Amino acid sequence: MKMTLVSLTVVFVLASFATLGYASDPSPLQDFCVAVKDADAAVFVNGKICKNPELVVAEDFIYRGLNKPGNTSNPIGSRVTPVNVNQLPGLNTLGISAVRIDYAPNGLNPPHTHPRATEILVVLEGTLYVGFVTSNPANPAIKNKLFAKYLYPGDVFVFPEGLIHFQFNVGKTNAVAFAGLSSQNPGVITVANAVFGSDPPINPAVLTKAFQVEKNVIDYLQAQFWWNID
Ligand SMILES: *[C@@H]1O[C@H](CO)[C@@H](O)[C@H](O)[C@H]1NC(C)=O
């Protein structure tokens, strides 16, 4: 009898641990989702509201036009054409999306992160210098590490989820790449735009301390127009 109780307790405790993995909240699919009491004011259900399956049509699963180059006539010289849940509704809840990236000669996809996705990039044309930087190491004596490569047509490179990365066209011709991202809504945080171009601006006292420079440097950077390529 006593043995049975002990066995039961062991089984129960093990079962509790086994279910722990399934008891956690789902990962967010957008920057935030503030709770509302009035259902009419609701927009997201951690992603998008689902269409009635009986009303779903083939058009819900197609996006056309990624064969067309993006317009790179801007100060950064690149253009991202996204195909995420906002362009292709069938991607909702599927955890995947795509982009086309065009680069003029000297064009840059500036340092940015995708808070919700790993990115796998395939170069079709041109020569890109790409890289990503690790998050802060546990040992404060060690710097964040850069992993960078020159990429040529046919090369595939992966940017791990959340890490700051970039691509720079170092060739004399246009460059084209396609990428898959492990989220229906990867999000983009362009470092310079977020830090120096926010609305309202971050108090310059914060940035002079953070970057250890004089206030006129921060004033200059905050006065720039931070172009957004996607
Ligand atoms: C590309 O963008 C530039 C600047 O916005 C614009 O002047 C030009 O007409 C665009 N080109 C095409 C082909 O859309």
Side-chain angles (χ1 to χ4, degrees):
M1 181 63 191
K2 199 176 178 198
M3 235 4 243
T4 313
L5 256 180
V6 169
S7 307
L8 268 178
T9 309
V10 168
V11 167
F12 178 76
V13 169
L14 286 178
S16 313
F17 281 128
T19 54
L20 272 181
Y22 304 103
S24 65
D25 289 353
S27 301
L29 292 175
Q30 63 283 306
D31 280 359
F32 42 72
C33 181
V34 178
V36 285
K37 286 189 178 138
D38 174 12
D40 289 341
V43 181
F44 292 112
V45 187
N46 201 21
K48 308 277 188 189
I49 295 160
C50 302
K51 194 174 184 179
N52 180 345
E54 290 174 10
L55 303 177
V56 168
V57 290
E59 279 67 31
D60 292 328
F61 301 101
I62 188 169
Y63 172 96
R64 294 186 199 270
L66 223 49
N67 58 322
K68 295 195 192 83
N71 187 342
T72 58
S73 298
N74 62 59
I76 307 294
S78 74
R79 174 72 64 179
V80 176
T81 308
V83 185
N84 57 47
V85 70
N86 299 308
Q87 291 80 29
L88 180 49
L91 286 175
N92 196 28
T93 74
L94 297 184
I96 197 164
S97 60
V99 292
R100 172 185 174 130
I101 315 173
D102 290 277
Y103 314 81
N106 276 312
L108 173 71
N109 188 0
H112 65 280
T113 90
H114 304 292
R116 292 175 289 277
T118 289
E119 173 174 353
I120 185 161
L121 183 99
V122 185
V123 178
L124 260 73
E125 292 172 18
T127 308
L128 295 177
Y129 171 69
V130 310
F132 67 86
V133 179
T134 60
S135 50
N136 303 356
N139 178 351
I142 297 174
K143 290 183 176 180
N144 305 53
K145 188 164 183 177
L146 169 71
F147 293 95
K149 273 286 183 190
Y150 289 92
L151 303 185
Y152 306 94
D155 290 353
V156 180
F157 197 87
V158 64
F159 304 103
E161 180 165 340
L163 301 187
I164 292 178
H165 60 283
F166 59 84
Q167 301 110 27
F168 190 29
N169 182 0
V170 292
K172 292 187 168 61
T173 61
N174 290 340
V176 184
F178 287 83
L181 295 115
S182 61
S183 169
Q184 69 177 46
N185 186 24
V188 185
I189 302 167
T190 307
V191 176
N193 303 40
V195 175
F196 299 113
S198 68
D199 179 21
I202 295 174
N203 186 324
V206 172
L207 299 179
T208 50
K209 184 70 80 179
F211 289 91
Q212 299 280 290
V213 293
E214 300 296 327
K215 183 167 175 297
N216 62 336
V217 177
I218 299 302
D219 290 344
Y220 173 81
L221 289 168
Q222 288 190 320
Q224 304 305 306
F225 178 76
W226 293 99
W227 189 275
N228 192 354
I229 56 154
D230 50 22

